[in-house]
Amino acid sequence: MLQFLKDHWQSIGIILLYGLTALVAVKALMETRTTGKTLAYLLLLFFIPGLGVVIYLLIGVNRRINRIYSRKWMSNVRLSERLKDYLRKENRATLLEHSALVDNKGGIARLLFRDTLSPITADNETALLINGEEKFPALLAALRGARHHIHLEYYIFEEDIIGREVMDILMQKAREGVEVRFIYDDFGSSDINRRFLREMRAAGVEVYPFYKIRLLANRLNYRNHRKIVVIDGHTGFIGGINIADRYINDPQYRQAHPHWPFWRDTHLRIKGQGVHTLQFLFMGDWNFCAEADLPITQDFFPDIETKGDDLVQIAASGPDSERSSIMLSFLAAINQAERSVYITTPYFIPNDSIYNALQQAALSGVDVRLLVPGESDSRLVNKAAESFYEDLLACGVRIFRYNKGFVHAKTMVVDDNLSVVGTANMDIRSFDFNFEVNAFVYSREINWQLSEAFLQDALYSNELMLDTWRARGRFSRLGEAVVRLISPLL
């Protein structure tokens, strides 16, 4: 027997390798819900034997099936059950009272409530914050005014000039007796060092990584991409801007990095009942990573009186969601558009549903425009995005490639009453892999401001023309086609 193994070890190894590949392929077929991702995994498994298995085990295991986030999911369920009856009544009443503003978008509001128990809230004051130059002064002022608690959750938090400014305020507030809780993503904030964390904890700031990355664990593929700030339960911030100097175009913050491109981004400040949903999301994430249940009290969910007229509804989803609520809400917004859809996204790798919806909307006479970076920070992602452009252009979608710098904003403007600002890109990673959060705002003023911002950005962009795009070389087309095969994994 031993001699047989010595004589045929290569053949035995190949048989075992392909046997393991076949087993993993069956697992991928059974657990992966989307056709595109399934095909991409199968290509990896059979065209790169061995390595394909490793890649799948690292990034492909379906966390919705395996419930690795079960503690977080169950804590969210417990929180939501306590609020369900109250939220249902509030959601119905708000839709009825503000039917003129919501108009034909009521289906989106009902979808989000039934899927995620996120109510549409009235009487909010919202402020659009363009770039870090507008976001950070507003954020720092709000942090300094905190009286009871500060809750922060960021994908990227760097110990640079702005990071130190935020950190100093958090530590000072903690010393004053304000409850300060901070969640960071262990992948996005990998540069945070232990001294930085010890300093905050010594001052009384409670700090936890959302999901600690360990060697050879596929948890690095499931990232907390949310940017949430909640102050005293009445003021919240949400959008695409992390805590780092690169997001501020002021030379004071960029003197050490003069090569950084101009950074175009969008954030939103909310004052009102809409903040309560952000609070709910933060508490669910905190209960997971800190392994402690924060109580539902008046201090965390205070009565709020504002003079605002805006409706706000929060859409959130992640690997712990039953469905990709972010994607479904995008899809509903595109399908219910009557006049226009303006989308800004740094990464454009749509699934089939979004891709077809954009084509259908344009062919139906809706003014569909897409603004993307002229050059992405990932060549593969850029090439994958380009593979979708020709069919979209042929259907009448107008595509603008931003050239002033790097556009990182994640926004959508629909007709004259709905705006979306958040953390989710228009790509499969945001739909399926990342924890994301978006704000759906029903406000004609915010809609006008965001539309104007889009049109201004278009002035710094090159618009793609169908004839010119069709004339690109064969090698470009081949590269796009190859990358598109694995685009669900990017």
Side-chain angles (χ1 to χ4, degrees):
M1 182 64 177
L2 185 60
Q3 186 61 44
F4 177 83
L5 293 175
K6 288 181 178 180
D7 294 340
H8 301 87
W9 68 268
Q10 290 180 317
S11 299
I12 293 171
I14 292 173
I15 292 172
L16 290 174
L17 175 61
Y18 277 98
L20 176 61
T21 300
L23 289 174
V24 174
V26 171
K27 183 178 178 65
L29 285 169
M30 297 295 291
E31 294 188 356
T32 309
R33 296 185 177 185
T34 58
T35 303
K37 272 201 297 184
T38 302
L39 290 174
Y41 287 140
L42 293 179
L43 283 171
L44 278 175
L45 290 171
F46 288 106
F47 280 90
I48 317 177
L51 181 59
V53 171
V54 174
I55 293 173
Y56 176 78
L57 293 176
L58 283 174
I59 70 172
V61 177
N62 193 314
R63 292 312 193 188
R64 287 195 180 93
I65 299 297
N66 291 338
R67 291 291 185 203
I68 197 166
Y69 299 102
S70 58
R71 283 186 289 113
K72 176 182 180 299
W73 180 74
M74 288 307 298
S75 68
N76 286 356
V77 169
R78 288 195 296 270
L79 281 170
S80 63
E81 287 296 331
R82 302 174 203 171
L83 301 171
K84 185 178 293 184
D85 291 339
Y86 167 76
L87 295 177
R88 183 180 292 109
K89 294 175 183 176
E90 288 293 305
N91 193 71
R92 186 183 301 114
T94 302
L95 281 175
L96 287 173
E97 184 179 352
H98 299 276
S99 58
L101 177 57
V102 176
D103 197 19
N104 70 319
K105 312 299 189 304
I108 304 171
R110 289 188 291 272
L111 180 155
L112 287 173
F113 181 77
R114 295 184 67 181
D115 192 33
T116 66
L117 211 63
S118 175
I120 187 167
T121 62
D123 304 326
N124 295 279
E125 295 179 33
T126 60
L128 199 64
L129 305 172
I130 302 298
N131 298 339
E133 300 90 290
E134 292 187 4
K135 180 230 172 136
F136 287 110
L139 174 63
L140 296 178
L143 292 174
R144 291 188 181 102
R147 294 293 176 264
H148 179 265
H149 66 270
I150 296 173
H151 291 163
L152 297 93
E153 182 171 348
Y154 273 96
Y155 177 61
I156 294 174
F157 193 108
E158 295 186 357
E159 189 184 3
D160 48 19
I161 298 176
I162 191 62
R164 173 58 64 170
E165 287 186 67
V166 172
M167 175 185 169
D168 288 343
I169 294 175
L170 298 182
M171 293 192 300
Q172 180 59 37
K173 283 298 173 179
R175 295 187 189 103
E176 293 173 5
V178 175
E179 298 176 14
V180 183
R181 299 177 179 89
F182 172 40
I183 301 170
Y184 65 92
D185 184 78
D186 203 35
F187 179 86
S189 299
S190 57
D191 289 337
I192 287 184
N193 60 53
R194 293 180 180 179
R195 177 193 53 78
F196 183 80
L197 299 175
R198 284 198 302 268
E199 191 175 349
M200 282 199 284
R201 287 172 177 141
V205 178
E206 295 185 73
V207 185
Y208 285 92
F210 178 74
Y211 197 27
K212 191 70 176 176
I213 294 175
R214 295 189 176 92
L215 186 65
L216 296 180
N218 65 353
R219 52 180 69 185
L220 64 84
N221 196 45
Y222 296 86
R223 306 165 192 169
N224 189 339
H225 198 238
R226 294 170 180 167
K227 296 95 179 164
I228 294 175
V229 178
V230 176
I231 299 168
D232 292 340
H234 58 64
T235 300
F237 292 82
I238 180 177
I241 305 175
N242 291 288
I243 303 290
D245 288 350
R246 78 189 78 165
Y247 295 91
I248 310 174
N249 298 303
D250 187 325
Q252 171 191 350
Y253 295 90
R254 292 169 158 249
Q255 51 189 335
H257 302 277
H259 60 283
W260 278 349
F262 178 86
W263 198 280
R264 172 67 185 87
D265 219 326
T266 302
H267 224 74
L268 187 74
R269 184 184 65 203
I270 306 169
K271 293 183 178 182
Q273 297 293 328
V275 177
H276 286 179
T277 310
L278 292 179
Q279 184 80 290
F280 169 80
L281 288 170
F282 178 89
M283 291 174 73
D285 290 344
W286 182 263
N287 293 349
F288 165 68
C289 66
E291 299 188 40
D293 287 339
L294 288 176
I296 296 177
T297 66
Q298 188 77 11
D299 289 326
F300 291 138
F301 296 91
D303 295 329
I304 305 172
E305 293 185 8
T306 65
K307 299 179 181 179
D309 299 318
D310 301 339
L311 306 181
V312 173
Q313 189 172 27
I314 303 299
S317 61
D320 62 335
S321 304
E322 291 293 335
R323 286 163 292 278
S324 180
S325 305
I326 293 280
M327 185 278 293
L328 291 175
S329 60
F330 276 150
L331 182 62
I334 296 168
N335 285 335
Q336 293 176 27
E338 294 183 338
R339 292 174 295 280
S340 60
V341 178
Y342 296 171
I343 297 171
T344 301
T345 181
Y347 310 113
F348 182 73
I349 304 178
N351 63 7
D352 290 343
S353 298
I354 297 292
Y355 185 48
N356 291 332
L358 290 171
Q359 294 178 79
Q360 181 185 27
L363 289 171
S364 300
V366 176
D367 179 12
V368 181
R369 306 187 190 190
L370 174 65
L371 191 139
V372 295
E375 287 296 332
S376 173
D377 55 354
S378 168
R379 290 187 178 182
L380 282 178
V381 170
N382 208 45
K383 189 61 68 174
E386 290 174 355
S387 71
F388 296 95
Y389 292 165
E390 184 169 333
D391 288 342
L392 293 175
L393 290 168
C395 291
V397 176
R398 298 180 66 183
I399 300 175
F400 298 86
R401 305 182 81 174
Y402 187 77
N403 293 319
K404 185 177 179 180
F406 181 63
V407 60
H408 188 254
K410 305 101 165 37
T411 65
M412 178 187 290
V413 193
V414 183
D415 296 336
D416 65 351
N417 63 334
L418 175 61
S419 303
V420 183
V421 179
T423 69
N425 301 303
M426 194 67 71
D427 69 355
I428 294 171
R429 166 161 290 283
S430 285
F431 297 160
D432 290 340
F433 293 126
N434 290 346
F435 290 91
E436 304 281 6
V437 59
N438 286 347
F440 280 66
V441 182
Y442 296 85
S443 164
R444 300 195 191 282
E445 176 62 25
I446 291 294
N447 184 283
W448 179 82
Q449 292 179 25
L450 204 53
S451 296
E452 287 297 304
F454 183 97
L455 296 175
Q456 185 68 26
D457 291 336
L459 296 178
Y460 295 101
S461 307
N462 291 331
E463 182 175 2
L464 297 183
M465 297 299 167
L466 179 59
D467 290 344
T468 304
W469 189 249
R470 279 178 170 166
R472 68 195 187 286
R474 291 184 179 181
F475 285 110
S476 292
R477 290 174 178 271
L478 177 61
E480 294 165 12
V482 171
V483 176
R484 183 162 176 172
L485 288 174
I486 61 169
S487 63
L489 308 181
L490 296 178

